[in-house]
Protein backbone atom coordinates (compact mmCIF):
# COMPACT_ATOMS: atom_id res chain seq x y z
CA UNK A 1 0.00 0.00 0.00
CA UNK A 2 1.07 3.58 -0.61
CA UNK A 3 1.07 6.34 1.99
CA UNK A 4 1.72 10.04 1.67
CA UNK A 5 3.19 11.47 4.87
CA UNK A 6 3.50 15.20 5.56
CA UNK A 7 5.84 16.06 8.43
CA UNK A 8 9.05 14.09 8.92
CA UNK A 9 10.23 15.25 12.32
CA UNK A 10 11.11 12.94 15.22
CA UNK A 11 7.75 11.17 15.17
CA UNK A 12 6.96 11.43 11.47
CA UNK A 13 10.40 10.28 10.37
CA UNK A 14 10.27 7.19 12.58
CA UNK A 15 6.72 6.40 11.47
CA UNK A 16 7.83 6.52 7.83
CA UNK A 17 10.58 4.04 8.59
CA UNK A 18 8.30 1.66 10.51
CA UNK A 19 5.70 1.63 7.71
CA UNK A 20 8.43 0.95 5.19
CA UNK A 21 9.74 -1.93 7.28
CA UNK A 22 6.27 -3.46 6.99
CA UNK A 23 6.63 -3.48 3.20
CA UNK A 24 4.57 -0.41 2.27
CA UNK A 25 5.65 2.49 0.08
CA UNK A 26 5.87 5.84 1.83
CA UNK A 27 6.31 9.11 -0.01
CA UNK A 28 7.07 11.76 2.55
CA UNK A 29 7.13 15.52 2.30
CA UNK A 30 8.79 17.92 4.71
CA UNK A 31 9.81 21.56 4.47
CA UNK A 32 13.35 20.32 5.18
CA UNK A 33 14.58 19.11 1.78
CA UNK A 34 17.26 16.94 3.42
CA UNK A 35 14.63 14.51 4.75
CA UNK A 36 11.88 14.97 2.16
CA UNK A 37 11.10 12.36 -0.49
CA UNK A 38 9.14 14.78 -2.67
CA UNK A 39 10.04 18.33 -3.62
CA UNK A 40 6.53 19.62 -2.94
CA UNK A 41 3.14 18.57 -1.59
CA UNK A 42 1.81 18.44 -5.14
CA UNK A 43 4.67 16.17 -6.20
CA UNK A 44 3.81 13.85 -3.33
CA UNK A 45 0.11 13.82 -4.30
CA UNK A 46 0.98 13.14 -7.97
CA UNK A 47 3.12 10.16 -6.98
CA UNK A 48 0.24 8.47 -5.12
CA UNK A 49 -2.32 6.23 -6.76
CA UNK A 50 -6.02 6.76 -6.10
CA UNK A 51 -7.57 6.33 -3.65
CA UNK A 52 -4.80 8.27 -1.92
CA UNK A 53 -4.15 8.12 1.83
CA UNK A 54 -2.25 11.11 3.23
CA UNK A 55 -1.13 11.19 6.85
CA UNK A 56 -0.53 14.65 8.37
CA UNK A 57 2.05 14.71 11.18
CA UNK A 58 2.72 18.39 11.87
CA UNK A 59 2.31 20.64 14.96
CA UNK A 60 -1.28 21.07 16.11
CA UNK A 61 -3.20 24.26 15.53
CA UNK A 62 -2.80 26.65 12.65
CA UNK A 63 -0.10 24.59 10.92
CA UNK A 64 -2.32 21.50 10.82
CA UNK A 65 -5.28 23.59 9.66
CA UNK A 66 -3.28 25.16 6.83
CA UNK A 67 -1.97 21.77 5.65
CA UNK A 68 -5.45 20.22 5.61
CA UNK A 69 -6.92 23.27 3.84
CA UNK A 70 -4.20 22.94 1.20
CA UNK A 71 -4.86 19.21 0.78
CA UNK A 72 -8.58 19.87 0.26
CA UNK A 73 -7.66 21.71 -2.94
CA UNK A 74 -5.21 19.04 -4.15
CA UNK A 75 -6.90 15.72 -3.41
CA UNK A 76 -9.79 14.04 -5.25
CA UNK A 77 -13.07 12.43 -4.19
CA UNK A 78 -12.40 9.06 -2.55
CA UNK A 79 -9.04 10.11 -1.08
CA UNK A 80 -8.43 10.10 2.66
CA UNK A 81 -6.61 12.41 5.09
CA UNK A 82 -5.47 11.25 8.54
CA UNK A 83 -4.48 13.82 11.16
CA UNK A 84 -2.05 12.01 13.46
CA UNK A 85 -0.83 15.07 15.36
CA UNK A 86 -1.84 16.21 18.84
CA UNK A 87 -4.76 18.29 17.58
CA UNK A 88 -7.56 19.34 19.88
CA UNK A 89 -10.57 17.09 19.28
CA UNK A 90 -12.80 20.10 18.60
CA UNK A 91 -10.74 20.86 15.45
CA UNK A 92 -11.64 17.52 13.88
CA UNK A 93 -15.26 18.15 12.90
CA UNK A 94 -14.38 21.36 10.98
CA UNK A 95 -11.53 19.53 9.24
CA UNK A 96 -13.82 16.65 8.29
CA UNK A 97 -16.44 19.08 6.99
CA UNK A 98 -13.88 20.98 4.91
CA UNK A 99 -12.55 17.83 3.28
CA UNK A 100 -15.99 16.25 2.98
CA UNK A 101 -17.14 19.13 0.80
CA UNK A 102 -14.54 17.92 -1.72
CA UNK A 103 -15.49 14.25 -1.31
CA UNK A 104 -12.34 13.54 0.70
CA UNK A 105 -12.54 11.40 3.85
CA UNK A 106 -11.05 12.28 7.22
CA UNK A 107 -9.80 10.33 10.25
CA UNK A 108 -8.30 11.68 13.44
CA UNK A 109 -5.67 9.45 15.02
CA UNK A 110 -4.08 9.89 18.43
CA UNK A 111 -0.58 8.42 18.41
CA UNK A 112 1.39 7.38 21.49
CA UNK A 113 4.87 5.91 21.56
CA UNK A 114 7.27 8.81 21.25
CA UNK A 115 10.77 8.20 20.00
CA UNK A 116 10.52 4.52 20.98
CA UNK A 117 7.68 3.80 18.58
CA UNK A 118 9.96 2.91 15.68
CA UNK A 119 10.94 -0.36 17.35
CA UNK A 120 8.11 -0.88 19.86
CA UNK A 121 5.17 0.26 17.74
CA UNK A 122 2.66 3.02 18.39
CA UNK A 123 -0.57 3.00 20.33
CA UNK A 124 -3.27 4.24 17.94
CA UNK A 125 -6.66 5.77 18.80
CA UNK A 126 -8.81 6.53 15.75
CA UNK A 127 -12.02 8.48 15.17
CA UNK A 128 -14.09 8.52 11.98
CA UNK A 129 -16.17 6.38 9.63
CA UNK A 130 -15.62 2.62 9.55
CA UNK A 131 -15.13 2.59 5.76
CA UNK A 132 -12.22 5.02 6.08
CA UNK A 133 -10.70 3.02 8.94
CA UNK A 134 -10.85 -0.10 6.76
CA UNK A 135 -9.11 1.71 3.90
CA UNK A 136 -6.22 2.72 6.14
CA UNK A 137 -6.03 -0.46 8.23
CA UNK A 138 -2.88 -1.82 6.53
CA UNK A 139 -1.08 1.35 7.65
CA UNK A 140 -2.51 1.14 11.17
CA UNK A 141 -1.41 -2.49 11.40
CA UNK A 142 2.09 -1.52 10.30
CA UNK A 143 2.36 1.18 12.95
CA UNK A 144 0.81 -0.53 15.97
CA UNK A 145 2.77 -2.90 18.25
CA UNK A 146 2.97 -6.58 17.38
CA UNK A 147 0.33 -8.79 18.96
CA UNK A 148 -3.46 -8.57 19.18
CA UNK A 149 -4.79 -5.56 17.30
CA UNK A 150 -7.03 -4.45 20.16
CA UNK A 151 -4.03 -4.15 22.49
CA UNK A 152 -2.54 -1.33 20.44
CA UNK A 153 -5.36 0.00 18.27
CA UNK A 154 -8.90 1.22 18.82
CA UNK A 155 -11.53 2.65 16.51
CA UNK A 156 -12.78 4.82 19.36
CA UNK A 157 -15.84 6.33 17.71
CA UNK A 158 -16.88 9.08 15.36
CA UNK A 159 -14.76 11.98 14.12
CA UNK A 160 -12.96 13.58 17.08
CA UNK A 161 -13.03 10.46 19.26
CA UNK A 162 -9.44 9.48 18.46
CA UNK A 163 -7.98 12.79 19.55
CA UNK A 164 -10.31 12.87 22.56
CA UNK A 165 -9.05 9.48 23.77
CA UNK A 166 -5.45 10.58 23.20
CA UNK A 167 -6.13 13.76 25.19
CA UNK A 168 -7.36 11.72 28.16
CA UNK A 169 -4.38 9.37 27.73
CA UNK A 170 -2.02 12.32 28.06
CA UNK A 171 -3.89 13.66 31.07
CA UNK A 172 -3.46 10.30 32.81
CA UNK A 173 0.20 10.38 31.81
CA UNK A 174 0.61 13.72 33.62
CA UNK A 175 -0.73 12.20 36.84
CA UNK A 176 1.37 9.03 36.62
CA UNK A 177 4.55 10.96 35.93
CA UNK A 178 3.98 13.26 38.87
CA UNK A 179 3.25 10.38 41.25
CA UNK A 180 6.58 8.78 40.37
CA UNK A 181 8.28 12.18 40.72
CA UNK A 182 6.84 12.78 44.20
CA UNK A 183 7.96 9.32 45.28
CA UNK A 184 11.45 10.06 43.97
CA UNK A 185 11.68 13.28 45.98
CA UNK A 186 10.54 11.60 49.20
CA UNK A 187 13.01 8.75 48.81
CA UNK A 188 15.81 11.23 48.15
CA UNK A 189 14.92 13.17 51.32
CA UNK A 190 15.00 10.15 53.65
CA UNK A 191 18.47 9.54 55.06
CA UNK A 192 18.00 5.80 55.63
CA UNK A 193 17.41 5.18 51.90
CA UNK A 194 20.78 4.93 50.18
CA UNK A 195 19.87 3.45 46.78
CA UNK A 196 17.01 5.39 45.21
CA UNK A 197 17.64 4.19 41.63
CA UNK A 198 17.70 0.63 42.94
CA UNK A 199 14.39 1.14 44.70
CA UNK A 200 12.71 2.19 41.48
CA UNK A 201 14.31 -0.66 39.55
CA UNK A 202 13.07 -3.15 42.15
CA UNK A 203 9.52 -2.07 41.29
CA UNK A 204 10.00 -3.05 37.64
CA UNK A 205 8.70 -6.61 38.03
CA UNK A 206 5.95 -8.07 40.14
CA UNK A 207 4.70 -4.81 41.69
CA UNK A 208 1.41 -3.03 41.06
CA UNK A 209 3.19 0.22 40.06
CA UNK A 210 5.26 -1.30 37.26
CA UNK A 211 4.83 0.39 33.88
CA UNK A 212 6.75 1.63 30.86
CA UNK A 213 6.93 5.07 32.51
CA UNK A 214 8.57 3.40 35.52
CA UNK A 215 11.06 1.73 33.19
CA UNK A 216 11.90 5.14 31.72
CA UNK A 217 12.29 6.56 35.24
CA UNK A 218 14.76 3.79 36.04
CA UNK A 219 16.67 4.58 32.85
CA UNK A 220 16.82 8.29 33.71
CA UNK A 221 18.07 7.57 37.24
CA UNK A 222 20.70 5.13 36.02
CA UNK A 223 21.99 7.77 33.64
CA UNK A 224 21.87 10.59 36.21
CA UNK A 225 21.11 9.34 39.76
CA UNK A 226 21.10 12.77 41.41
CA UNK A 227 19.49 14.65 38.51
CA UNK A 228 22.57 16.85 38.20
CA UNK A 229 22.02 19.92 36.03
CA UNK A 230 18.41 18.95 35.24
CA UNK A 231 16.16 22.01 35.26
CA UNK A 232 12.80 21.61 36.98
CA UNK A 233 11.18 23.89 34.38
CA UNK A 234 8.51 21.67 32.80
CA UNK A 235 6.49 22.53 29.71
CA UNK A 236 3.11 21.10 28.71
CA UNK A 237 1.83 20.21 25.26
CA UNK A 238 -1.69 21.47 25.91
CA UNK A 239 -3.48 18.16 26.21
CA UNK A 240 -3.33 18.18 30.00
CA UNK A 241 -5.09 21.55 29.98
CA UNK A 242 -7.73 20.28 27.57
CA UNK A 243 -8.33 17.24 29.77
CA UNK A 244 -8.95 19.43 32.82
CA UNK A 245 -11.21 21.72 30.78
CA UNK A 246 -13.25 18.69 29.71
CA UNK A 247 -13.42 17.51 33.30
CA UNK A 248 -14.96 20.85 34.25
CA UNK A 249 -17.31 20.84 31.26
CA UNK A 250 -18.56 17.35 32.12
CA UNK A 251 -18.51 17.71 35.92
CA UNK A 252 -15.89 14.96 36.30
CA UNK A 253 -13.64 15.50 39.34
CA UNK A 254 -9.97 15.31 38.37
CA UNK A 255 -7.91 16.24 41.44
CA UNK A 256 -4.84 14.20 40.44
CA UNK A 257 -4.57 15.34 36.82
CA UNK A 258 -5.36 18.95 37.78
CA UNK A 259 -2.69 18.96 40.50
CA UNK A 260 -0.06 17.52 38.16
CA UNK A 261 -0.85 20.19 35.56
CA UNK A 262 -0.67 23.00 38.11
CA UNK A 263 2.65 21.62 39.37
CA UNK A 264 4.05 22.15 35.88
CA UNK A 265 2.86 25.74 35.95
CA UNK A 266 4.56 26.22 39.34
CA UNK A 267 7.83 24.85 37.95
CA UNK A 268 8.08 27.81 35.58
CA UNK A 269 7.92 30.48 38.27
CA UNK A 270 11.22 31.81 39.53
CA UNK A 271 9.25 33.51 42.28
CA UNK A 272 5.68 32.52 43.17
CA UNK A 273 3.43 35.60 43.52
CA UNK A 274 0.89 33.46 45.36
CA UNK A 275 3.42 32.33 47.96
CA UNK A 276 4.69 35.90 48.31
CA UNK A 277 1.13 36.85 49.25
CA UNK A 278 0.95 33.97 51.74
CA UNK A 279 4.23 35.06 53.35
CA UNK A 280 3.00 38.65 53.63
CA UNK A 281 -0.29 37.52 55.21
CA UNK A 282 1.52 35.33 57.76
CA UNK A 283 3.56 38.37 58.69
CA UNK A 284 0.44 40.43 59.19
CA UNK A 285 -1.68 38.07 61.28
CA UNK A 286 1.00 36.09 63.10
CA UNK A 287 4.02 38.34 63.24
CA UNK A 288 6.09 35.75 61.36
CA UNK A 289 9.26 36.95 59.70
CA UNK A 290 8.79 38.13 56.12
CA UNK A 291 12.06 37.26 54.43
CA UNK A 292 13.65 39.09 51.56
CA UNK A 293 14.12 37.30 48.23
CA UNK A 294 17.83 36.93 49.01
CA UNK A 295 17.11 35.37 52.42
CA UNK A 296 14.66 32.96 50.83
CA UNK A 297 17.20 31.90 48.23
CA UNK A 298 19.75 31.28 50.99
CA UNK A 299 17.29 28.96 52.75
CA UNK A 300 16.56 27.18 49.47
CA UNK A 301 20.27 26.62 48.95
CA UNK A 302 20.60 25.24 52.49
CA UNK A 303 17.64 22.92 51.96
CA UNK A 304 19.16 21.64 48.69
CA UNK A 305 22.34 20.80 50.60
CA UNK A 306 20.36 19.16 53.39
CA UNK A 307 21.45 21.84 55.86
CA UNK A 308 18.07 23.38 56.63
CA UNK A 309 16.46 20.99 59.11
CA UNK A 310 12.84 21.11 60.33
CA UNK A 311 14.15 22.48 63.64
CA UNK A 312 15.95 25.29 61.82
CA UNK A 313 12.79 26.08 59.90
CA UNK A 314 10.79 26.25 63.14
CA UNK A 315 13.39 28.61 64.58
CA UNK A 316 12.87 30.88 61.60
CA UNK A 317 9.12 30.75 62.20
CA UNK A 318 9.54 32.18 65.72
CA UNK A 319 11.19 35.36 64.48
CA UNK A 320 8.99 38.46 64.52
CA UNK A 321 8.90 41.21 61.97
CA UNK A 322 10.01 44.57 63.31
CA UNK A 323 7.62 46.76 61.35
CA UNK A 324 4.54 47.93 63.30
CA UNK A 325 1.17 46.34 62.69
CA UNK A 326 -1.80 48.15 61.22
CA UNK A 327 -4.09 50.31 63.41
CA UNK A 328 -6.49 47.52 64.30
CA UNK A 329 -3.70 45.15 65.31
CA UNK A 330 -1.96 47.90 67.32
CA UNK A 331 -5.12 48.56 69.31
CA UNK A 332 -5.60 44.87 70.03
CA UNK A 333 -1.98 44.09 70.84
CA UNK A 334 0.35 41.57 69.29
CA UNK A 335 -1.47 39.52 66.64
CA UNK A 336 0.27 36.40 67.88
CA UNK A 337 -1.46 36.80 71.28
CA UNK A 338 -4.94 37.32 69.92
CA UNK A 339 -5.68 33.62 69.43
CA UNK A 340 -6.60 31.72 66.28
CA UNK A 341 -8.03 33.62 63.33
CA UNK A 342 -9.59 30.65 61.64
CA UNK A 343 -10.91 27.22 62.51
CA UNK A 344 -13.88 25.83 64.38
CA UNK A 345 -12.91 26.44 68.00
CA UNK A 346 -13.55 29.35 70.34
CA UNK A 347 -11.04 32.21 70.48
CA UNK A 348 -11.84 32.83 74.12
CA UNK A 349 -13.04 36.40 74.03
CA UNK A 350 -11.73 37.72 70.72
CA UNK A 351 -14.02 40.31 69.04
CA UNK A 352 -15.68 37.83 66.70
CA UNK A 353 -15.14 35.04 64.21
CA UNK A 354 -13.10 35.57 61.07
CA UNK A 355 -13.98 32.19 59.65
CA UNK A 356 -15.24 28.83 60.76
CA UNK A 357 -18.55 27.45 61.92
CA UNK A 358 -18.56 27.84 65.70
CA UNK A 359 -19.31 30.73 68.02
CA UNK A 360 -16.44 32.71 69.58
CA UNK A 361 -18.32 33.46 72.79
Amino acid sequence: MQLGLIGLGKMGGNMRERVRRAGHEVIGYDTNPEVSDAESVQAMVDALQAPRVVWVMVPAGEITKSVITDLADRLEPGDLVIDGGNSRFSDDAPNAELLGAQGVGYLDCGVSGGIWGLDNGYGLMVGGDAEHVELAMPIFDALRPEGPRDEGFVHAGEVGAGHYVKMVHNGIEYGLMHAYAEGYELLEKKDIVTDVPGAFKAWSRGTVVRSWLLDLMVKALEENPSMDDVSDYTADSGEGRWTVEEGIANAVPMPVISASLFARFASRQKVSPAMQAVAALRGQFGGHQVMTVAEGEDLRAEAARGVASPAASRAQEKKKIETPQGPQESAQGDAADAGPTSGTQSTGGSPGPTSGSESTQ
Side-chain angles (χ1 to χ4, degrees):
M1 182 175 177
Q2 285 185 314
L3 177 70
L5 179 58
I6 299 178
L8 301 171
K10 290 180 180 179
M11 286 280 284
N14 282 349
M15 290 169 68
R16 173 177 62 177
E17 177 61 23
R18 185 169 176 87
V19 173
R20 284 177 173 172
R21 289 180 183 179
H24 302 290
E25 180 184 2
V26 183
I27 302 169
Y29 171 75
D30 194 275
T31 53
N32 179 4
E34 294 183 3
V35 300
S36 189
D37 302 316
E39 62 182 14
S40 67
V41 173
Q42 188 59 53
M44 179 201 72
V45 170
D46 291 342
L48 297 171
Q49 299 175 359
R52 303 171 184 84
V53 177
V54 179
W55 191 299
V56 178
M57 204 68 189
V58 299
E62 289 301 317
I63 296 178
T64 294
K65 182 179 179 180
S66 65
V67 169
I68 289 177
T69 300
D70 179 65
L71 286 172
D73 294 332
R74 299 180 188 276
L75 296 178
E76 299 175 350
D79 292 344
L80 174 64
V81 172
I82 305 171
D83 177 13
N86 282 333
S87 296
R88 183 177 170 86
F89 71 94
S90 55
D91 292 340
D92 292 316
N95 289 339
E97 183 178 357
L98 174 68
L99 291 165
Q102 306 298 323
V104 177
Y106 177 83
L107 294 175
D108 56 285
C109 182
V111 181
S112 179
I115 60 175
W116 303 88
L118 173 59
D119 295 320
N120 297 340
Y122 300 89
L124 305 174
M125 299 141 266
V126 180
D129 294 342
E131 62 181 290
H132 297 144
V133 174
E134 184 178 356
L135 175 62
M137 189 55 74
I139 301 302
F140 294 141
D141 280 339
L143 288 169
R144 67 175 177 82
E146 296 180 4
R149 180 183 287 170
D150 59 2
E151 293 182 2
F153 171 89
V154 63
H155 179 194
E158 59 191 55
V159 166
H163 281 146
Y164 197 93
V165 172
K166 178 56 163 48
M167 174 193 74
V168 175
H169 165 281
N170 280 26
I172 293 171
E173 179 184 292
Y174 276 45
L176 289 172
M177 290 171 67
H178 206 77
Y180 286 132
E182 289 180 357
Y184 164 78
E185 182 171 354
L186 182 57
L187 289 173
E188 277 289 333
K189 288 284 187 180
K190 193 61 177 176
D191 55 358
I192 62 174
V193 179
T194 58
D195 187 0
V196 176
F200 274 86
K201 191 168 186 176
W203 297 342
S204 298
R205 293 180 184 273
T207 75
V208 296
V209 299
R210 65 189 185 275
S211 71
W212 184 43
L213 280 174
L214 177 64
D215 294 341
L216 295 178
M217 184 72 176
V218 170
K219 184 175 185 295
L221 288 173
E222 288 179 341
E223 293 174 354
N224 190 354
S226 57
M227 300 289 179
D228 292 336
D229 201 30
V230 176
S231 171
D232 65 338
Y233 186 106
T234 307
D236 69 286
S237 64
E239 292 190 308
R241 303 186 190 207
W242 303 339
T243 304
V244 173
E245 289 172 3
E246 280 297 295
I248 295 169
N250 292 278
V252 176
M254 291 187 167
V256 173
I257 295 175
S258 299
S260 65
L261 174 64
F262 295 152
R264 294 195 183 195
F265 295 166
S267 78
R268 304 169 204 170
Q269 295 180 316
K270 184 175 182 180
V271 176
S272 168
M275 296 314 296
Q276 285 179 308
V278 169
L281 284 169
R282 294 182 77 248
Q284 290 297 319
F285 74 72
H288 304 288
Q289 182 195 30
V290 179
M291 289 178 283
T292 65
V293 172
E295 289 170 335
E297 288 302 311
D298 287 343
L299 281 181
R300 279 201 180 94
E302 291 178 6
R305 296 195 304 270
V307 176
S309 66
S313 297
R314 285 193 294 271
Q316 282 283 7
E317 293 286 338
K318 293 180 179 178
K319 294 183 179 179
K320 302 294 183 180
I321 57 173
E322 297 179 358
T323 54
Q325 301 294 323
Q328 183 178 358
E329 288 81 0
S330 297
Q332 296 174 0
D334 192 331
D337 298 328
T341 56
S342 66
T344 59
Q345 300 301 319
S346 168
T347 59
S350 65
T354 55
S355 68
S357 60
E358 299 295 326
S359 169
T360 59
Q361 295 180 6

